[in-house]
Amino acid sequence: MDVLVTGGAGFIGSHIVNALREAGHRTVVLDLRPSPPDARADREVSGDVRDPDTVRRALEGVDAVCHQAAKVGLGKGLSDAADYVSTNDLGTAVLLERLADGQPRPLVLAGSMVVYGEGRYECAEHGVQRPGPRPEQALSRGEFEPACPRCSAPLSPGLVGEGAPVDPRNVYATTKLAQEHLAAAWARFTGGGAISLRYHNVYGPRMPRDTPYAGVASFFRSALARGEAPTVFEDGGQRRDFVHVADIARANVAALEELVAGGAGGLRAYNAGSGDPHTVGEMATALAEAHGGPAPVVTGEYRLGDVRHITADSARLRQELGWRPEVGFREGMEDFAAARH
């Protein structure tokens, strides 16, 4: 089949292009920039996903769409809110408007675990709890673990399932949830099928570098490349699910093929994580060891709005789509440390 990958020249999108071609599909890329030399599509359309004419040209002859184009990262508070909403939500709305013409085509959306806010926690006395944002006074004292909102006792972190309440806590997270709502509205209106893959902490070759919108793994690798120690916020105990970009690319292929094979209409959301949680401190240490650089430095600094623990339960994706991650944590960190870009 012919698949349009919006944002197909970017970090995750370019890996999806390669994975689709390896699976025997033809690819069309819509992006503002040219694709990297090792991820060329069969056809490339240069332009902005917010432009209806550009999107119309990109959709010509396409059987399915993988929507990756987005502005990512935590942003700068509210100072770039309009840019996030325009790129992520207006861009998605323009794409869906064009997709509503004619027969509905399967859609896979780049979702994100940030829609959940904090992860899943349990109090020994009061069961599952949803802690609010951590107060600055506690963070300044080095008290990083969320407390039970009912008794203030320590909470035990667990895995977040797709049925967990959503609680986006910054502008980026809000736009990612809005993208899902827009896709759900499109699916109801057209009878089409859509899948949102809620990515956890994706890392790997071609990850953006030296930008405030890059992920923490990229910050650590950039520091090591300069011969500096990675600086880890809080106490390094924040739990995350680090998943290699090659596995995320294969999850996108599996989702597209599921929809094309006649998967149910409407929007379905799946967590896309490795299922092997690690702390940020462990990740920094593994990356430093793989790179041969200085050991990480734990600073105790913090950022308001950051969540403490967020790790995925990706069982649904494994059970319903047959997807399995193939790149282990140590292997992935070694691959990332050795990547040329």
Side-chain angles (χ1 to χ4, degrees), residues 16-30:
I16 293 172
V17 167
N18 283 348
L20 283 166
R21 299 192 70 179
E22 288 170 8
H25 304 298
R26 294 173 298 277
T27 55
V28 180
V29 162
L30 167 58

Side-chain angles (χ1 to χ4, degrees), residues 197-278:
L197 294 174
R198 291 175 175 170
Y199 302 158
H200 278 247
N201 291 71
V202 187
Y203 71 96
R206 306 188 198 123
M207 195 173 189
R209 299 179 64 176
D210 304 319
T211 163
Y213 302 101
V216 65
S218 180
F219 292 147
F220 292 165
R221 191 179 76 153
S222 292
L224 289 164
R226 297 191 299 268
E228 301 170 3
T231 55
V232 179
F233 278 16
E234 300 186 16
D235 59 359
Q238 311 93 303
R239 282 164 51 91
R240 297 290 187 269
D241 188 318
F242 300 100
V243 57
H244 195 275
V245 66
D247 285 329
I248 288 295
R250 290 188 306 98
N252 275 270
V253 176
L256 281 168
E257 292 179 343
E258 161 75 8
L259 290 168
V260 170
L267 174 74
R268 286 178 283 167
Y270 293 94
N271 286 332
S274 70
D276 182 26
H278 290 269

Side-chain angles (χ1 to χ4, degrees), residues 108-292:
V108 174
L109 180 69
S112 175
M113 55 86 178
V114 295
V115 301
Y116 297 117
E118 278 283 0
R120 184 183 188 276
Y121 295 89
E122 191 164 348
C123 172
E125 182 177 354
H126 298 107
V128 175
Q129 297 295 316
R130 295 282 293 177
R134 296 175 294 169
E136 185 170 9
Q137 298 92 327
L139 294 172
S140 66
R141 294 193 298 267
E143 298 171 3
F144 301 121
E145 295 292 342
C148 176
R150 296 181 62 183
C151 67
S152 300
L155 294 171
S156 299
L159 300 179
V160 180
E162 290 88 348
V166 291
D167 182 21
R169 296 192 175 184
N170 54 56
V171 171
Y172 169 63
T174 302
T175 66
K176 297 307 289 182
L177 183 58
Q179 285 183 307
E180 289 193 359
H181 288 319
L182 287 165
W186 166 83
R188 284 192 295 270
F189 179 79
T190 64
I195 287 176
S196 177
L197 294 174
R198 291 175 175 170
Y199 302 158
H200 278 247
N201 291 71
V202 187
Y203 71 96
R206 306 188 198 123
M207 195 173 189
R209 299 179 64 176
D210 304 319
T211 163
Y213 302 101
V216 65
S218 180
F219 292 147
F220 292 165
R221 191 179 76 153
S222 292
L224 289 164
R226 297 191 299 268
E228 301 170 3
T231 55
V232 179
F233 278 16
E234 300 186 16
D235 59 359
Q238 311 93 303
R239 282 164 51 91
R240 297 290 187 269
D241 188 318
F242 300 100
V243 57
H244 195 275
V245 66
D247 285 329
I248 288 295
R250 290 188 306 98
N252 275 270
V253 176
L256 281 168
E257 292 179 343
E258 161 75 8
L259 290 168
V260 170
L267 174 74
R268 286 178 283 167
Y270 293 94
N271 286 332
S274 70
D276 182 26
H278 290 269
T279 68
V280 172
E282 288 170 342
M283 187 271 285
T285 298
L287 192 57
E289 290 175 350
H291 193 278

